[in-house]
Amino acid sequence: MSAGRRIRVEPSSGALGAEVSGVDLAKLDDAAFAEIRDAWLEHQVLFFRDQQLSPADQAAFAERFGELEAYPFLEPLDGHPYVIPIVKEKDTRMNFGGGWHSDMSYQERPVKATLLYAIEVPPRGGDTLFANMAAAYEALSDGMKELLDGLRAVFTAAKVHGAAGFYQNADHPMDKRKNAAREEARYLHPVVRTHPDTGRKALFLDLPHVERIEKMRVHESEPLMNFLAQHATQPQFTTRFTWKAGSLAVWDNRCVQHYALNDYPGERREMNRVTVAGDVPV
Ligand code: OGA
Ligand code: MN
């Protein structure tokens, strides 16, 4: 355990993630936030327990990381335009985020941070997995790194949110706010991006949001994308968080992918989610 002057930080695995204690996120001073931000850049995803956060408290904490950005495909809470309820009801089969991904990577400026706060969780199950995309990149061969360093990929929300997307005809209340132009937009991002704060390179390619690699045929690009996804999510690059009511996680989408486990049929799970605007990846 390392101790700053105000917070305690306990790494969660060898790969990434740390649990932070000794802090009330609803009453945070600037010095404590500075320590949290440093720990976040170092560990890539932070976990906090036993927080009591109203939607306004969560949005205020999120705003310390940067300007908030609304999620385009779900309705926010009344009076809180940046706080999105992510609810899986007892009889819903589909979940939100049930595949490895980086949030809103299909945008011209993918979001930097996501803050997820647990309000109600199942008695067991419903964990979230996180994978370190910088460690995954660093573990590749020099030849593969050279190939990838020059590549860009075509990102789009269409595979998930589009007319033929994953969420169509699903029993998840997704796509209530139809947003056709944003569903079908496409942006090119580098397959390997450099983190603007740490300078560390990371793989930036998530299967739900990437159509193909630029300048490649689909049948060339698909096996490469599948290899990278499989490589990057090996257990040694991951950590797993078991939620309790009052837990909050904040992850860095520039160097982390995550996966919401859908292993709690018949149970209800309710989270509030806030996202923070990011830069054009380089
Ligand atoms: C998200 C997401 C994971 C979860 O909010 O972006 O992927 O476990 N959620 O709910
Ligand atoms: Mn997500």
Side-chain angles (χ1 to χ4, degrees):
M1 166 138 57
S2 72
R5 283 185 305 143
R6 287 178 169 73
I7 65 169
R8 285 186 301 281
V9 180
E10 180 89 51
S12 333
S13 79
L16 80 165
E19 193 160 320
V20 176
S21 54
V23 64
D24 177 350
L25 297 178
K27 298 188 197 108
L28 202 59
D29 62 33
D30 292 347
F33 180 71
E35 290 181 17
I36 288 172
R37 187 172 180 281
D38 288 348
W40 183 64
L41 290 174
E42 181 181 347
H43 298 284
Q44 303 168 267
V45 51
L46 296 182
F47 308 111
F48 301 85
R49 297 284 187 192
D50 303 318
Q51 301 294 318
Q52 294 208 343
L53 299 177
S54 68
D57 292 334
Q58 186 182 350
F61 176 51
E63 217 165 359
R64 287 184 173 267
F65 290 86
E67 197 184 320
L68 304 187
E69 176 162 356
Y71 183 68
F73 301 116
L74 281 173
E75 295 293 343
L77 289 176
D78 266 353
H80 299 280
Y82 298 105
V83 184
I84 309 287
I86 303 288
V87 184
K88 184 171 181 285
E89 299 293 352
K90 284 182 186 233
D91 58 356
T92 308
R93 277 176 300 161
M94 188 151 182
N95 75 334
F96 178 78
W100 285 105
H101 67 283
S102 176
D103 287 333
M104 296 157 80
S105 61
Y106 46 75
Q107 303 196 138
E108 183 175 17
R109 295 168 194 276
V111 289
K112 167 164 82 174
T114 304
L115 294 93
L116 194 63
Y117 176 63
I119 294 170
E120 182 182 347
V121 296
R124 64 197 70 77
D127 292 0
T128 307
L129 279 60
F130 298 88
N132 181 340
M133 292 299 117
Y137 172 74
E138 287 157 11
L140 291 167
S141 66
D142 290 345
M144 183 58 81
K145 284 181 191 156
E146 276 168 34
L147 171 70
L148 298 178
D149 278 340
L151 295 177
R152 297 192 298 179
V154 183
F155 284 72
T156 177
K159 284 171 83 173
V160 178
H161 300 284
F166 194 68
Y167 284 119
Q168 297 306 318
N169 303 314
D171 64 352
H172 192 278
M174 181 52 74
D175 283 335
K176 280 200 171 145
R177 199 152 95 172
K178 297 305 289 179
N179 208 331
R182 292 184 74 161
E183 283 165 14
E184 294 300 331
R186 278 156 176 82
Y187 297 100
L188 288 166
H189 296 314
V191 170
V192 179
R193 70 181 292 185
T194 303
H195 196 291
D197 298 317
T198 66
R200 200 173 174 196
K201 286 183 175 183
L203 277 176
F204 193 65
L205 186 141
D206 62 322
L207 293 184
H209 302 148
V210 172
E211 199 167 59
R212 64 189 170 81
I213 293 174
E214 187 191 25
K215 297 183 190 161
M216 284 192 187
R217 301 186 180 116
V218 168
H219 46 283
E220 294 170 327
S221 132
E222 211 158 50
L224 180 53
M225 287 165 53
N226 287 336
F227 160 71
L228 291 172
Q230 181 271 329
H231 164 76
T233 57
Q234 292 175 89
Q236 70 268 30
F237 303 130
T238 70
T239 193
R240 175 174 177 153
F241 186 60
T242 300
W243 299 90
K244 296 188 179 89
S247 302
L248 180 133
V250 50
W251 60 86
D252 187 338
N253 287 295
R254 299 168 294 187
C255 55
V256 174
Q257 287 192 32
H258 57 284
Y259 183 116
L261 268 177
N262 188 0
D263 60 351
Y264 52 101
E267 303 289 351
R268 188 173 187 280
R269 183 175 184 267
E270 177 179 355
M271 321 288 272
N272 280 342
R273 178 187 197 263
V274 178
T275 42
V276 180
D279 301 323
V280 174
V282 288

